[in-house]
Amino acid sequence: MASDEKKAEILKGLHDSVVEYEEEKTVEVANEAVAEGLDAFEAIMGGLAKGMETVGDLYVRQEYFVPELLLCADALYAGLEVLKPHLKAESHAEPRKIILGVVEGDIHDIGKNLVKVMFDAAGWQVFDLGADVKIERFAEEQKKCGAQVVGLSALMTTSMLAIPRIIKTLRDSDSTVRVLVGGAPLNPDIAASYGADGYADNAGEAVEQAMKMLQQA
Amino acid sequence: MSNSDRAEALLRGDKVDRVPLYHFLLGFCARNVGYTTVDMYNNAEKSFQAQLWTFEQYGIDGGPDYGYASYGGWEFGGEIKMPEGEWQQAPSHVNFPVNTEEDLAALAMPDVKTAGSLPLAMEFSKLQQKHGKPITVTLGGNFSVAGNICPPSTLCRWMLKKPDAAHRILQIASDHILDVVRYWSDTFGAENVIPNLWEPMAANDIISPKQFEKFALPYIKETNEKMLGMGIKHILYHICGEQNANMPLWAQIPMGDPGMVTFGHQVKLSTAIEYFGDSCIILGNVLPALIQTGTPQQVYDASRDCILEAKDAPRGFMLMPGCELPPMSPFFNVYMMKKAIEDFGYYG
């Protein structure tokens, strides 16, 4: 079992290697965490996820942009790959669930992928439906997995018109599901007019918005 | 003044009677005249005809133009999909010609006479010539063409981890833009060709100003200098999306005399005038989503605000949406842009 000092050093190492988008270093420190007997859940949440939280802040402050986020995400997932097999079943509660997808007619998925990283890092179970997702599929998948939140992304002014229809099919299927939307042509007013429960201006804000929506539910 | 006279006068530096109206609106034209959106991208004759009719109906002064934002992938050997279904507005990528450094090393320069959409674009430009319209060739900006040859996420990763690969693909994109513009210049005379370049991927929505300075600015600047060196008189650049922090860098890029620079709603027209007013005609920037989802009064008010903010720009101003007009825009909302010009756009 690692000493408190060693544990702190490893958690900081995981945090820093994600923030500095050092994929190999992240794997190295994650392996060290396993070798030192650190609880995998603690290493993920206290190291990798904390790092991604810092990355989100840097993005919101416009110190990081999409290239940095993509590489930080690569480091995060490399670390998760090492640590996840060591998670103990009882080490954390049932995760919150979110379905993510880019709406029908739209293939632009960078924004959605960055949002996925943030939810993964925050410990949510993410059901990623990809891009150009048919309208009905969101409700079908939500029924199957019981996600509390559905996140919809659109980059085009034309494809964003699919959003109110998706929200209607979701509400018809499960009136309790919360819908978060985002993407370049959207804004809080359009989101509200479409019946969404929340709007995130960028990936860094998405998790916070989702948490707010659930608290208001 | 006729619609054509008005746009040409502005380019010559002559006075115009009112603010001209400009649009890039292929999908909307299809809906307006009862064609399919695909017709606008794979049938030059129909695309040209639909635009001419729509331009006459709405009093549009510039254009028509042919092109799409995903330009580059198909031309370098990738696959695109024509728009289909209710929600797609333009061709989109199915796969990219470059995904790895090995793909990049093996990438061949396309034959501009046969590659991808270029034969259709040339057919369209011959119609522009036949009808006495400005001859335009629509391509991505250097960074966006590179980000259409490989996935944008790959270009982003390469910038930080494999900068040599990023520079290599940007050089290839730049050489290709020049090849295309040279072909158009040889065919129509450089002085008659207006390259129409769209640069959404270099926006600060994606890259930082520092990354723009290192990976976009040198290529765009050199390419524009070379185009102007060929005898091109005017370059139209759509500086798309959030570009405020890039503006001092964009201002270092020559656009012709005058150039034409168009902006999204993110960049204030007063800011555009500050950086480009002395050298370029300013175009913009009614929020496209507002034209699609707002009321006629909101579109009218937003158009009025744009006109009043920019109509006295030193080299002129043209009212247009901040990006392509959304195809599903209500017809009356589109008319309200013209009405705002009639009410507020006349000079002296």
Side-chain angles (χ1 to χ4, degrees):
Chain A
M1 186 65 72
S3 66
D4 284 353
E5 197 179 326
K6 185 68 183 170
K7 186 170 124 185
E9 182 193 319
I10 289 172
L11 292 180
K12 184 176 183 308
L14 288 169
H15 170 279
D16 291 354
S17 59
V18 167
V19 174
E20 289 157 16
Y21 42 94
E22 293 291 347
E23 192 175 329
E24 285 176 19
K25 177 81 178 162
T26 310
V27 170
E28 194 183 300
V29 182
N31 279 321
E32 193 184 352
V34 173
E36 292 285 340
L38 240 75
D39 178 73
F41 182 72
E42 205 177 343
I44 290 170
M45 297 314 291
L48 299 176
K50 279 266 182 223
M52 218 52 215
E53 215 176 293
T54 303
V55 170
D57 289 342
L58 289 166
Y59 180 64
V60 169
R61 292 207 306 266
Q62 299 199 326
E63 290 178 41
Y64 272 14
F65 290 76
V66 170
E68 288 86 356
L69 251 67
L70 288 167
L71 290 171
C72 292
D74 291 345
L76 168 81
Y77 287 123
L80 283 174
E81 201 170 313
V82 174
L83 292 168
K84 269 192 169 173
H86 300 278
L87 279 172
K88 294 173 193 148
E90 72 279 12
S91 64
H92 57 103
E94 176 76 9
R96 297 181 184 88
K97 296 176 185 173
I98 184 166
I99 290 173
L100 293 175
V102 181
V103 302
E104 186 174 342
D106 204 325
I107 58 153
H108 302 88
D109 62 358
I110 285 187
K112 182 269 298 170
N113 292 342
L114 296 177
V115 169
K116 176 182 185 298
V117 173
M118 294 302 177
F119 279 99
D120 277 332
W124 288 55
Q125 189 173 0
V126 180
F127 298 84
D128 182 2
L129 305 186
D132 193 11
V133 180
K134 297 281 177 211
I135 286 177
E136 309 75 28
R137 199 161 156 233
F138 287 96
E140 288 165 9
E141 295 296 328
Q142 193 272 337
K143 210 169 194 172
K144 278 189 213 162
C145 71
Q148 299 97 331
V149 179
V150 175
L152 305 173
S153 169
L155 186 80
M156 311 298 287
T157 41
T158 307
S159 60
M160 82 175 183
L161 294 170
I163 289 176
R165 280 215 219 158
I166 296 166
I167 292 176
K168 183 174 184 321
T169 62
L170 284 164
R171 301 268 188 253
D172 289 348
S173 168
D174 178 354
S175 61
T176 66
V177 70
R178 317 301 287 173
V179 183
L180 177 68
V181 300
L186 291 147
N187 60 41
D189 292 340
I190 294 174
S193 76
Y194 285 173
D197 301 294
Y199 163 79
D201 191 50
N202 57 62
E205 293 176 3
V207 176
E208 192 186 334
Q209 287 299 322
M211 292 303 294
K212 270 187 199 163
M213 283 166 25
L214 288 180
Q215 281 157 12
Q216 287 161 2
Chain B
M1 283 181 121
S2 72
N3 296 111
S4 293
D5 289 346
R6 193 170 289 115
E8 285 168 21
L10 210 53
L11 285 172
R12 282 196 310 269
D14 294 345
K15 286 194 181 307
V16 290
D17 56 347
R18 64 157 172 81
V19 167
L21 180 60
Y22 188 88
H23 270 289
F24 194 83
L25 72 180
L26 271 68
F28 178 82
C29 290
R31 185 165 151 255
N32 190 42
V33 308
Y35 289 167
T36 65
T37 308
V38 175
D39 287 333
M40 302 305 294
Y41 294 97
N42 73 1
N43 186 321
E45 181 82 37
K46 277 187 159 181
S47 183
F48 189 83
Q49 188 180 46
Q51 290 186 61
L52 274 193
W53 287 336
T54 304
F55 283 24
E56 181 185 336
Q57 180 185 355
Y58 291 95
I60 296 166
D61 300 290
D65 302 299
Y66 172 86
Y68 61 98
S70 302
Y71 179 88
W74 187 18
E75 288 67 27
F76 276 84
E79 194 183 343
I80 61 154
K81 184 172 80 168
M82 285 290 163
E84 59 182 26
E86 201 174 340
W87 315 108
Q88 288 188 341
Q89 72 181 60
S92 55
H93 295 285
V94 175
N95 56 54
F96 292 86
V98 170
N99 290 288
T100 64
E101 286 178 278
E102 290 72 29
D103 294 339
L104 179 58
L107 190 66
M109 293 301 286
D111 178 349
V112 294
K113 292 184 178 166
T114 57
S117 63
L118 289 169
L120 278 161
M122 177 52 75
E123 192 184 339
F124 191 93
S125 282
K126 287 182 174 165
L127 291 168
Q128 291 173 321
Q129 183 184 44
K130 183 177 160 189
H131 289 263
K133 299 292 181 189
I135 295 162
T136 57
V137 54
T138 302
L139 307 163
N142 305 55
F143 196 84
S144 290
V145 171
N148 283 326
I149 300 172
C150 69
S153 55
T154 301
L155 180 59
C156 285
R157 286 183 170 96
W158 281 352
M159 282 195 302
L160 295 184
K161 288 288 186 182
K162 294 177 176 172
D164 289 348
H167 283 299
R168 173 80 188 125
I169 201 163
L170 281 157
Q171 189 59 57
I172 287 170
S174 304
D175 291 345
H176 174 67
I177 291 169
L178 285 172
D179 285 347
V180 174
V181 173
R182 196 174 295 113
Y183 174 37
W184 253 251
S185 297
D186 290 346
T187 306
F188 302 106
E191 69 280 9
N192 299 313
V193 174
I194 302 178
N196 190 329
L197 305 165
W198 289 49
E199 191 51 280
M201 284 190 210
N204 302 131
D205 305 294
I206 300 180
I207 64 172
S208 70
K210 279 187 182 168
Q211 289 158 352
F212 182 96
E213 185 170 16
K214 191 170 174 188
F215 291 98
L217 174 66
Y219 295 97
I220 298 173
K221 190 164 183 266
E222 186 182 350
T223 301
N224 280 19
E225 285 167 353
K226 286 184 174 171
M227 286 193 288
L228 296 170
M230 284 180 205
I232 296 287
K233 286 183 176 172
H234 317 287
I235 296 168
L236 184 151
Y237 238 104
H238 177 49
I239 300 174
C240 188
E242 172 51 77
Q243 300 263 8
N244 282 291
N246 292 337
M247 287 297 278
L249 303 167
W250 276 109
Q252 299 173 24
I253 298 169
M255 298 288 179
D257 185 23
M260 303 168 78
V261 283
T262 95
F263 293 93
H265 68 281
Q266 298 90 340
V267 176
K268 284 183 180 174
L269 291 172
S270 55
T271 304
I273 293 169
E274 181 189 336
Y275 284 100
F276 283 105
D278 290 336
S279 60
C280 292
I281 300 166
I282 308 295
L283 297 92
N285 61 354
V286 182
L287 177 63
L290 182 76
I291 306 173
Q292 179 174 270
T293 60
T295 64
Q297 187 65 47
Q298 286 174 316
V299 176
Y300 178 79
D301 291 346
S303 301
R304 176 202 59 210
D305 293 347
C306 288
I307 293 165
L308 296 180
E309 187 177 357
K311 72 182 281 196
D312 294 321
R315 303 299 294 265
F317 169 66
M318 298 173 87
L319 183 68
M320 73 172 282
C323 201
E324 179 175 357
L325 180 72
M328 300 306 287
S329 300
F331 299 111
F332 198 77
N333 280 5
V334 180
Y335 162 71
M336 289 310 262
M337 292 179 71
K338 175 71 188 323
K339 182 168 170 53
I341 287 179
E342 290 297 330
D343 293 346
F344 302 102
Y346 275 86
Y347 292 101

